[in-house]
Amino acid sequence: MKIISVREQPEYKDQIIAFLQKSWSQVSPEIYRDCLEHCIDATSPLPQWYVLEADGQFIGCAGLITNDFISRMDLYPWLAALFIDEQFRGNSYAQLLVEKAKEDATDAGFKSCIYVQTILDITKNTGGRILETVIILGRNIREFMRYLYK
């Protein structure tokens, strides 16, 4: 298993974009292209985008971003687009991406990382706790979780 950061290894940019677009097909493909192309040379610590590679193929992805289409602009960084290919689920591989995001967030000076409960099925054993609710995309209200670092 290897985690590839598009910032640390920009030569993977196009492959990572394609994997994110495939994994999150309900999101406009231009969103991920724009996000990843601009994160490589960003001067701030965010955003970060990662893929998990196993035996030469991408099997998972995640992002560490400032906003995940929610109403609370005061809360960040967000763990977003966390995905593990269905055939590889149940092996705690999501935890590898979560830990990398937490490590980068900590290195950047953040004391917590936030994620929306809709990905809780992947991350239920990762140490988050429910804090409050936010409006997502102006349509509905969902609880969100926060990792508290030690």
Side-chain angles (χ1 to χ4, degrees), residues 26-91:
Q26 68 272 33
V27 176
S28 171
E30 294 81 23
I31 298 267
Y32 288 121
R33 176 164 301 285
D34 195 42
C35 287
L36 272 79
E37 286 180 348
H38 289 95
C39 91
I40 292 170
D41 295 321
T43 56
S44 66
L46 300 175
Q48 296 278 350
W49 291 95
Y50 317 101
V51 290
L52 184 61
E53 182 186 61
D55 299 322
Q57 86 178 58
F58 295 159
I59 65 164
C61 57
L64 186 63
I65 60 176
T66 57
N67 188 303
D68 196 14
F69 306 109
I70 53 92
S71 61
R72 295 288 305 275
M73 302 296 178
D74 60 315
L75 300 171
Y76 58 90
W78 286 85
L79 177 65
L82 181 62
F83 174 83
I84 298 295
D85 191 288
E86 196 168 331
Q87 65 180 329
F88 296 96
R89 292 180 188 166
N91 296 298

Side-chain angles (χ1 to χ4, degrees), residues 96-113:
L96 299 173
L97 291 163
V98 169
E99 288 303 319
K100 173 64 172 159
K102 286 168 62 174
E103 176 185 312
D104 285 351
T106 300
D107 289 349
F110 297 106
K111 305 240 185 288
S112 65
C113 183

